[in-house]
Amino acid sequence: MEPILTLESARLLMRQWRDEDLPAFATMCADPQVMRYFPAPLSRLDSAALIGRIRGHFAEHGFGLWALERKDTGEFIGLTGLMHVGFDAPFVPAVEIGWRLAREHWGLGFASEAAWTALRCAFDRLALDQVVAFTSHSNLPSQKVMQAIGMHPDPLGDFDHPRLEPGHPLRPHVLYRISREQWLQTLHG
Ligand SMILES: CC(C)(COP(=O)(O)OP(=O)(O)OC[C@H]1O[C@@H](n2cnc3c(N)ncnc32)[C@H](O)[C@@H]1OP(=O)(O)O)[C@@H](O)C(=O)NCCC(=O)NCCS
């Protein structure tokens, strides 16, 4: 299948990563508020390495975490996309949907708009049967995005993230899912 390099929504271009995205991406990933539900903010080097891994996922699978660009201002504002879950858990193998936006672009519906566009790509173009999402119990803003795009909590699937040590407050994770049928129902009512 042809790699899916770009997607578009009403207000966003979801595109491949440019080297020039690094300063804004590193600033976002160094912001303690943005990284509140992750183990720690990232250094510039960590952010650069993460862009490298994202590019690697696109090269291997033809989809990934797209860089988000606002059409009105041309600004890079974060990422949203799809990736294969990279750790072992009962619901793996699975493709997850995820998002991270710079704080000044929160509260404008951009994360949900990009997530909706990525989900449509998952079912329409990649023909996946199911997409999952997960986050720490306390990350309610992220769970709101999951709910906004029609995902359902799967309490029996809740799990401890294997990359966080036992006792870490962010270790307990909620699992959300959406099947192709559920997505079609959301679309057509
Ligand atoms: C999770 C995250 C992306 C959510 O961002 P967000 O801007 O709150 O999410 P949305 O794009 O869905 O925006 C929804 C908000 O925009 C408002 N909004 C304004 N205009 C809107 C529009 N045109 N369409 C939809 N919502 C709109 C909504 O009312 C809602 O506000 P509320 O939260 O006060 O109810 C953001 O908090 C973030 O980047 N967090 C840090 C990274 C992170 O935790 N990622 C997830 C890891 S699993």
Side-chain angles (χ1 to χ4, degrees), residues 45-57:
L45 208 60
D46 291 336
S47 289
L50 179 52
I51 293 178
R53 290 199 298 280
I54 293 170
R55 284 174 163 153
H57 193 288

Side-chain angles (χ1 to χ4, degrees), residues 11 33-35 37-38 98-102 105-113 134-136 139 141-142 144-146 148:
R11 297 179 295 168
Q33 278 296 107
V34 171
M35 300 305 280
Y37 301 106
F38 293 87
W99 34 75
R100 185 181 301 171
L101 266 65
H105 304 284
W106 291 359
L108 298 169
F110 285 125
S112 296
E113 182 173 320
F134 46 83
T135 189
S136 62
N139 191 348
S142 189
K144 272 175 82 171
V145 178
M146 295 172 197

Side-chain angles (χ1 to χ4, degrees), residues 13 42 52 72 77-79 89 101 107 114-115 126 128 131 133 135 137-139 147 156 165 172-173 178:
L13 182 61
L42 301 186
D72 58 350
I77 65 164
L79 60 78
L101 266 65
L126 299 171
L128 301 180
V131 172
T135 189
H137 270 266
S138 48
N139 191 348
Q147 290 157 12
L156 292 178
E165 70 272 16
H173 271 54
I178 185 166

Side-chain angles (χ1 to χ4, degrees), residues 11-103:
R11 297 179 295 168
L12 296 170
L13 182 61
M14 299 171 67
R15 57 159 173 79
Q16 290 303 290
W17 291 75
R18 299 183 187 139
D19 293 343
E20 306 87 84
D21 295 328
L22 178 60
F25 183 61
T27 299
M28 173 178 87
C29 295
D31 180 342
Q33 278 296 107
V34 171
M35 300 305 280
R36 196 172 145 201
Y37 301 106
F38 293 87
L42 301 186
S43 68
R44 192 182 166 96
L45 208 60
D46 291 336
S47 289
L50 179 52
I51 293 178
R53 290 199 298 280
I54 293 170
R55 284 174 163 153
H57 193 288
F58 273 104
E60 188 173 351
H61 302 289
F63 63 90
L65 295 169
W66 289 274
L68 303 184
E69 183 178 308
R70 275 178 74 149
K71 285 184 183 173
D72 58 350
T73 61
E75 281 168 287
F76 167 91
I77 65 164
L79 60 78
T80 294
L82 305 163
M83 69 202 136
H84 285 280
V85 178
F87 55 83
D88 201 22
F91 59 87
V92 177
V95 170
E96 67 164 304
I97 186 166
W99 34 75
R100 185 181 301 171
L101 266 65
R103 201 155 24 122

